Amino acid sequence: VQLQASGGGWVQPGGSLRLSCAASGTFRGIDVMGWFRQTPKKERELVANINSEGHTNYEGSVKGRFTISRDNAKNTVFLQMNSLKPEDTAVYYCNAGVMTTTLRRYHYWGQGTLVTVSS
């Protein structure tokens, strides 16, 4: 199973970016998909996640600014980030809880995509 993330880049404060992460490979299904972020000064933290039924969970500082969604048919998760702030600068990692064909569950990570918010 591989997770391929895309959509990072540089944006000015107040701007928007949309991250995407697609899972590929052979598996039975995916339950929770999410985004984490990490900076040199902070440990990796959960930004948002979404389960297969569409229930979402957000870290407090991004509520109202970020929206997580997913396309189950394409095994893809998105993170729409609006009103970006310099403190949102980080490497963003996608994560997926995957059920294998042998009914085992593993968490997989994408390669990380850098988001830089600065003027």
Side-chain angles (χ1 to χ4, degrees):
V1 177
Q2 290 188 328
L3 299 181
Q4 181 66 46
S6 61
W10 172 84
V11 65
Q12 292 185 334
S16 298
L17 283 174
R18 188 178 192 232
L19 306 183
S20 301
C21 178
S24 62
T26 302
F27 46 86
R28 192 175 182 90
I30 302 176
D31 45 35
V32 178
M33 301 186 81
W35 290 94
F36 291 70
R37 63 186 179 188
Q38 187 171 16
T39 69
K41 296 183 178 180
K42 292 180 67 177
E43 293 184 353
R44 192 171 298 188
E45 65 174 1
L46 175 68
V47 176
N49 60 21
I50 183 169
N51 68 12
S52 58
E53 297 177 346
H55 297 296
T56 59
N57 177 49
Y58 293 94
E59 188 271 329
S61 70
V62 308
K63 284 182 179 178
R65 299 188 298 122
F66 292 10
T67 302
I68 190 169
S69 61
R70 64 190 281 175
D71 183 334
N72 290 330
K74 296 182 179 180
N75 297 314
T76 301
V77 63
F78 306 96
L79 186 68
Q80 178 66 44
M81 304 185 293
N82 299 328
S83 302
L84 281 160
K85 304 175 181 180
E87 51 263 42
D88 294 317
T89 295
V91 177
Y92 284 70
Y93 297 89
C94 61
N95 177 275
V98 177
M99 184 69 72
T100 69
T101 55
T102 57
L103 301 182
R104 293 190 173 189
R105 189 174 182 272
Y106 296 101
H107 277 276
Y108 291 90
W109 292 93
Q111 82 279 16
T113 183
L114 177 62
V115 171
T116 303
V117 185
S118 71
S119 53

